[in-house]
Amino acid sequence: MNKVILKGLDLTCYQETLKNGLHVFVIPFDKVNGKYATLSTSFNSTVVEFVPKGKTKFRKVHAGIAHFLEHQMFSQTNRDNPMKFYNEHSCDCNAFTSKKKTSYVFSGTNFFEEGLNFLLDYVQDPAITEETVTKEKGIITEELKMYQDRPDSVLYDRICLNTFHVLPFRYPIGGRVEDVINTTREEIMDCYHTFYHPENMFLVITGNVNPEEVIELVRNNQEHKTFEKIELPLHIKKYKEPVTVYKEFEKIQMAVSIPKICIGIKVDVSQFSEEEKEKISYYLNFAFWVNFGATSDFKEEMIQKGILTRGINYSKERVENFFFINCMVDTPRYEELLQHFNKKLEQLTLSEDELKRMKRVMISNYIFQSDDLYDMNQQIMYDYLYYGKIKEDALSEIRALNQDEFYQYMSKLNLQHRSVVVIEPLQ
């Protein structure tokens, strides 16, 4: 078992890779009673074409299949339904599919040993039948229709579709209704046997636990199971994505009282090293927080002019060799907002004082989240998925950021590849 001391956070991450390849990470918290476990696979909604385990040719599956498979884990026929089991043991459970991973989680203060064994068992030994697949299609279809009635969900899905040409990131996490209807059990099982192997999964446990004891518990659980070897790395189709956006502008109508707008910015960072991309990620966050954030002069000016009704919701995601930035906001005068936004985007600034303030905020947030077993669990997942390891000294990375470097990187980035989606009220 290896120990990684997270510098400046007064935490230690214990990690071990078991004989079957399962990666286990444990961060003990002495001052809390709760315990939180997440069992994850890198299989996600962007994986739609791959070479299945035991085969030699690429297979294309329906979009949304990772989400469909997640649902199937809760429709098993050979054991208690996970929701029922955890409720009876006073624990909470859930599962999430994103564009980066699929995770199965549970938390509680008691019955942790039973809960952890059950988590490993139901994820690693599912009973998926034609009947469970057919039944789930109706449930997922209703879920998708619900999201199609939510303007913010429609905005995000549409901006992804219009920003990317070929990367499967452009598809909704749950796929489309026709994808769900046409998904087969054979497809699902190909996905399961390929991506749910222990070598492609990792377990993160945070809370009031003894690292040695909990890793021994996991080891004992896994030693009673047999998994066929898989060839790594897995063969997932690579796509040649253009740097331009697929569609620059689209207007749709929904039942909203004030127009909603989403601006998607596609930033090519293929020329930079992984270390440089990490710095650029920080600098882009700083640039948008300072220039468009809650305390920015831009926001105040737009509100005073009646162009904005509230602040701009900013988010950024790493998509292959791109950073995908989207800014979502309600505005009664979106054409004027776009003019002001585009002008400001061409002259992003960051003063020395603003940089120091942003660094203090980020460091404070990092330290604050280190007291939360749920936040730290997510941070460990993020580190492992993006870097393949746990970052030991993130605080020093943040402290080393400087204004000269900010302007050097910003001068090399092209922020002109943009897509805009507008939702107007029904007429």
Side-chain angles (χ1 to χ4, degrees):
M1 180 170 56
N2 297 321
K3 292 197 301 184
V4 176
I5 297 174
L6 306 181
K7 297 178 182 178
L9 300 182
D10 194 29
L11 290 174
T12 301
C13 180
Y14 298 79
Q15 55 188 50
E16 182 164 329
T17 301
L18 304 185
K19 291 180 181 179
N20 63 11
L22 180 66
H23 307 281
V24 185
F25 304 91
V26 183
I27 297 184
F29 283 73
D30 298 331
K31 299 178 182 179
V32 301
N33 292 322
K35 304 173 181 69
Y36 184 51
T38 59
L39 180 59
S40 306
T41 169
S42 60
F43 185 48
N44 60 74
S45 68
T46 71
V47 180
V48 295
E49 196 162 359
F50 60 92
V51 177
K53 175 178 172 292
K55 300 179 182 178
T56 58
K57 294 183 179 180
F58 277 91
R59 174 172 192 174
K60 188 170 185 178
V61 295
H62 288 92
I65 198 166
H67 175 254
F68 201 131
L69 177 51
E70 173 217 310
H71 271 244
Q72 283 294 286
M73 290 298 176
F74 289 83
S75 303
Q76 298 187 33
T77 59
N78 61 340
R79 60 173 53 84
D80 280 348
N81 179 283
M83 292 290 186
K84 178 178 181 291
F85 174 88
Y86 286 111
N87 282 336
E88 291 176 348
H89 289 78
S90 303
C91 296
D92 293 323
C93 80
N94 211 333
F96 308 95
T97 301
S98 71
K99 297 192 177 187
K100 192 63 183 176
K101 62 179 175 61
T102 303
S103 296
Y104 301 86
V105 312
F106 89 94
S107 62
T109 55
N110 301 312
F111 303 106
F112 183 72
E113 180 175 340
E114 295 90 339
L116 185 54
N117 276 315
F118 189 85
L119 174 68
L120 292 164
D121 291 344
Y122 89 81
V123 173
Q124 292 183 328
D125 180 34
I128 300 173
T129 67
E130 295 287 356
E131 290 74 18
T132 62
V133 171
T134 299
K135 179 181 177 181
E136 206 65 35
K137 288 183 179 182
I139 296 172
I140 297 175
T141 296
E142 289 304 311
E143 181 181 330
L144 296 184
K145 289 179 179 178
M146 176 184 68
Y147 285 116
Q148 290 170 1
D149 288 333
R150 296 179 179 178
D152 286 350
S153 296
V154 171
L155 261 185
Y156 177 75
D157 286 344
R158 196 63 64 92
I159 201 69
C160 291
L161 185 69
N162 290 356
T163 298
F164 295 95
H165 293 253
V166 295
L167 287 179
F169 186 91
R170 70 197 306 261
Y171 303 132
I173 290 173
R176 299 158 298 185
V177 170
E178 55 266 36
D179 292 314
V180 174
I181 292 173
N182 292 310
T183 296
T184 67
R185 178 184 180 275
E186 182 192 7
E187 283 181 291
I188 291 173
M189 297 312 297
D190 265 351
C191 293
Y192 178 81
H193 290 304
T194 303
F195 295 101
Y196 277 61
H197 191 282
E199 290 198 56
N200 195 53
M201 301 193 78
F202 59 102
L203 176 67
V204 183
I205 300 167
T206 49
N208 194 341
V209 297
N210 180 297
E212 290 82 4
E213 291 178 0
V214 77
I215 290 178
E216 182 64 21
L217 186 157
V218 176
R219 187 183 294 113
N220 289 337
N221 177 283
Q222 297 297 282
E223 285 180 350
H224 293 90
K225 301 174 182 177
T226 302
F227 300 92
E228 294 181 9
K229 289 290 292 182
I230 59 171
E231 289 187 20
L232 294 177
L234 299 175
H235 299 290
I236 301 171
K237 183 171 181 179
K238 301 295 183 183
Y239 303 85
K240 188 174 182 180
E241 174 70 25
V243 298
T244 58
V245 297
Y246 176 71
K247 192 174 186 178
E248 293 185 354
F249 185 84
E250 183 175 14
K251 187 189 300 183
I252 55 182
Q253 292 186 342
M254 292 185 69
V256 297
S257 56
I258 299 175
K260 290 178 172 288
I261 182 173
C262 188
I263 306 166
I265 306 169
K266 186 179 184 182
V267 186
D268 177 22
V269 290
S270 57
Q271 63 177 303
F272 300 101
S273 68
E274 286 301 313
E275 181 180 350
E276 289 176 318
K277 289 172 185 173
E278 180 65 10
K279 291 181 179 181
I280 291 170
S281 180
Y282 284 128
Y283 288 132
L284 283 172
N285 284 340
F286 292 165
F288 278 80
W289 288 340
V290 166
N291 290 275
F292 300 108
T295 60
S296 66
D297 293 338
F298 180 86
K299 175 198 167 185
E300 291 304 314
E301 179 186 353
M302 293 299 100
I303 287 179
Q304 288 178 8
K305 291 182 176 181
I307 296 175
L308 284 184
T309 60
R310 58 181 177 87
I312 296 176
N313 289 329
Y314 158 80
S315 67
K316 175 177 57 53
E317 299 174 78
R318 173 80 179 271
V319 185
E320 302 288 345
N321 282 317
F322 299 92
F323 281 117
F324 171 49
I325 298 167
N326 73 79
C327 300
M328 196 178 297
V329 68
D330 295 350
T331 170
R333 292 147 58 186
Y334 63 84
E335 292 178 340
E336 292 177 70
L337 174 64
L338 282 172
Q339 292 176 357
H340 290 285
F341 184 91
N342 292 337
K343 182 178 180 181
K344 183 66 177 176
L345 198 61
E346 294 174 358
Q347 45 186 327
L348 296 177
T349 59
L350 183 67
S351 70
E352 191 66 45
D353 286 342
E354 289 168 337
L355 175 60
K356 289 179 180 178
R357 177 166 58 88
M358 287 293 99
K359 288 164 65 173
R360 285 197 300 269
V361 169
M362 182 165 283
I363 290 172
S364 297
N365 288 341
Y366 214 100
I367 294 173
F368 183 75
Q369 83 167 15
S370 70
D371 286 332
D372 189 296
L373 60 94
Y374 301 100
D375 285 347
M376 280 309 299
N377 198 296
Q378 297 298 310
Q379 186 62 52
I380 295 300
M381 281 198 283
Y382 179 91
D383 283 357
Y384 183 68
L385 284 166
Y386 280 90
Y387 312 117
K389 63 179 182 179
I390 306 307
K391 296 180 73 171
E392 299 182 39
D393 195 6
L395 299 185
S396 291
E397 289 182 9
I398 298 170
R399 293 188 179 103
L401 301 171
N402 61 83
Q403 190 185 35
D404 288 342
E405 195 174 62
F406 166 80
Y407 281 110
Q408 289 174 12
Y409 282 123
M410 294 305 295
S411 67
K412 298 176 182 178
L413 298 179
N414 184 350
L415 304 181
Q416 301 304 310
H417 299 300
R418 300 193 287 269
S419 178
V420 175
V421 176
V422 177
I423 296 182
E424 288 188 329
L426 294 170
Q427 295 181 352

